[in-house]
Amino acid sequence: MSEHKYQVVIAGPGSVGKSAITLQFISQQFIRDYDPTIEECYKKHIFVDNEVAYLDILDTAGQEEYSSLRSHHFQNGDGFLLVYSCDNRKSFEEIGEFRDEIIRAKDDDDVPIVLLANKCDLPKTDQQVSKKEGQDLAKSYGYSFLETSAKSVINIEESFAQCVREIRKKRAVNNAPQSTTGGKKKKKCYLM
């Protein structure tokens, strides 16, 4: 696989705006009508930190009946945008389940994930999840956090760019030379 190619999977509960984020990123369009996604694939290239990134983007279904299909897609993902909606506490509470599903599918606790709080442009009175709650959850997992809005085009491109950065960090760690001594000095053994 090319070091400049990245498979980004967008995951999270249904109706949180995963497709709206994706379509805003791909075609600069905001779709108002909700039509449940089974899966949609897109390709786009962007520049992240002055380096090209070729993205294969998979927009996944949030509904429970598609969980087996999601697991297959999670296995192949390099990085993930994990999305909940600010105006839906249940979607926020379900993030842990999606995170666990990703970790099981990848068989790795250190997966490049960016947590997105979507619909951040809604009035505070309509929001059920505060920015601090989202930040605290992301921090507890060790993930980056962004507030997004597909409608108002807030942090859409930055979300994908941050996911690419997280994937690059993971690849750098995986490609780093491994010390066989665990950082400790080898003891010499003398035979007499």
Side-chain angles (χ1 to χ4, degrees), residues 63 102 104-105 109-110 117 146 159 183 185:
Q63 294 78 9
I102 291 166
R104 271 194 310 275
D109 288 340
D110 185 26
L146 290 167
S159 297
K185 275 189 164 181

Side-chain angles (χ1 to χ4, degrees), residues 115-181:
L115 183 63
L116 303 182
N118 196 32
K119 304 182 186 179
C120 71
D121 58 332
L122 292 172
K124 295 294 180 203
T125 54
D126 292 343
Q127 295 187 21
Q128 296 178 7
V129 183
S130 71
K131 179 178 181 177
K132 182 171 180 356
E133 287 175 287
Q135 289 172 321
D136 289 348
L137 182 63
K139 185 177 181 181
S140 73
Y141 291 143
Y143 300 156
S144 295
F145 171 81
L146 290 167
E147 286 188 306
T148 60
S149 169
K151 183 178 180 182
S152 299
V153 196
I154 299 170
N155 284 329
I156 298 302
E157 186 152 340
E158 179 57 27
S159 297
F160 289 88
Q162 187 58 37
C163 191
V164 167
R165 289 182 192 105
E166 298 297 329
I167 295 167
R168 286 177 180 167
K169 276 194 253 180
K170 172 79 173 180
R171 287 180 179 175
V173 167
N174 288 348
N175 293 333
Q178 299 295 316
S179 170
T180 57
T181 61

Side-chain angles (χ1 to χ4, degrees), residues 13 84-85 87-95 128-129:
Y84 70 89
S85 178
D87 70 340
N88 183 336
R89 177 152 296 275
K90 187 174 186 303
S91 72
F92 177 73
E93 292 167 353
E94 291 175 4
I95 286 297
Q128 296 178 7
V129 183

Side-chain angles (χ1 to χ4, degrees), residues 36-38 61-71 73 101:
T37 302
I38 295 176
Q63 294 78 9
E64 180 58 35
E65 58 266 27
Y66 298 111
S67 62
S68 62
L69 187 60
R70 271 197 316 263
S71 291
H73 295 309
E101 192 176 337

Side-chain angles (χ1 to χ4, degrees), residues 45-53 157 161 165 168:
H45 76 274
I46 60 173
F47 286 90
V48 179
D49 304 329
N50 297 318
E51 192 175 320
V52 71
E157 186 152 340
R165 289 182 192 105
R168 286 177 180 167

